[in-house]
Amino acid sequence: MAAEGLEVLLETEEIDAIVDRVAGEISERYDDGVVLVAVLRGSVPFLADLVRAMSIRSVVDFVAITPYTPGTGRVRFLMDITTDLTDRDVLVVEDIVDTGLTSAFLLGELSRRQPESLSICTFVDRPARRVVPVDLDHVGIQIPDEFVIGYGLDHKGRYRNVRVLATADTAVLERDPDAYVQELYGA
Ligand code: 5GP
């Protein structure tokens, strides 16, 4: 029986097809390689699949930033890249662009490092809750206003390594963070 509020949006094969399409777009776009700046931790599965599906040279680096919490009004680096971005083509790789605050913060910070170009690639785009407008150059899938888990996206640390993307009911998860463990991990 399906768990309450859980619905698979993308099966693994559909994720693979999307990654191949986005990797193709990126490989065609950059003649001279690209620096991928991935946002920890959610983008790791997407990044790993994407970079291996790309046919051009690439450098991978990582940032970690504080989650935006309403009221604090600020996002800041917990960990910065070590790669020099001067005159390089740079692509930020995100799991999901929701409010756009993460993307806007990173575009602001990284643009000061004189890259040749600076763009954003995200696996999921959810425009419904956008607070800051951001241009997304490469998008895997656009979704309606629903919370999603799997393929890097977690709830309280769970479900990141699930190989599908699924919508989940946050009220159900708040009551029981393990509510979807049996359905998604078969345990
Ligand atoms: P932003 O609001 O800055 O665009 O996104 C911030 C972060 O919130 C994302 O990178 C992601 O980690 C998390 N997030 C936003 N929406 C969702 C969602 O639907 N599911 C999960 N698991 N995380 C989300």
Side-chain angles (χ1 to χ4, degrees):
M1 199 181 72
E4 184 194 348
L6 184 72
E7 192 190 331
V8 173
L9 269 184
L10 294 175
E11 297 287 357
T12 306
E13 300 72 29
E14 295 172 301
I15 291 175
D16 291 346
I18 288 171
V19 170
D20 280 346
R21 193 249 305 151
V22 174
E25 288 172 14
I26 295 168
S27 302
E28 276 196 9
R29 175 171 175 196
Y30 298 104
D31 304 330
D32 210 18
V34 65
V35 180
L36 300 176
V37 176
V39 185
L40 292 172
R41 301 171 191 166
S43 70
V44 168
F46 178 43
L47 171 79
D49 289 343
L50 186 69
V51 74
R52 287 176 297 169
M54 284 164 43
S55 57
I56 55 169
R57 285 180 301 138
S58 65
V59 170
V60 172
D61 209 334
F62 295 93
V63 291
I65 60 169
T66 50
Y68 172 80
T69 18
T72 64
R74 252 188 81 73
V75 180
R76 64 183 170 79
F77 278 114
L78 289 171
M79 190 185 100
D80 200 346
I81 54 170
T82 54
T83 308
D84 180 6
L85 300 185
T86 313
D87 299 331
R88 310 287 291 274
D89 288 310
V90 179
L91 186 63
V92 173
V93 178
E94 296 214 49
D95 49 0
I96 182 168
V97 176
D98 180 26
T99 61
L101 288 161
T102 304
S103 309
F105 169 76
L106 284 173
L107 287 181
E109 290 290 325
L110 301 181
S111 64
R112 284 194 227 129
R113 302 176 192 187
Q114 273 85 48
E116 173 70 25
S117 71
L118 181 57
S119 306
I120 300 181
C121 169
T122 184
F123 186 69
V124 180
D125 172 25
R126 187 175 53 219
R129 300 188 211 174
R130 200 77 92 237
V131 173
V132 192
V134 277
D135 285 333
L136 304 177
D137 297 78
H138 304 279
V139 173
I141 182 176
Q142 197 176 83
I143 62 165
D145 190 9
E146 279 176 299
F147 187 77
V148 281
I149 53 174
Y151 202 53
L153 291 155
D154 75 316
H155 179 267
K156 296 191 173 158
R158 295 159 179 83
Y159 311 115
R160 257 193 229 288
N161 61 334
V162 166
R163 293 176 60 84
V164 299
L165 184 77
T167 60
D169 186 331
T170 47
V172 170
L173 284 171
E174 283 309 316
R175 277 201 306 275
D176 176 13
D178 290 327
Y180 302 134
V181 166
Q182 183 158 6
E183 184 86 2
L184 292 174
Y185 292 105

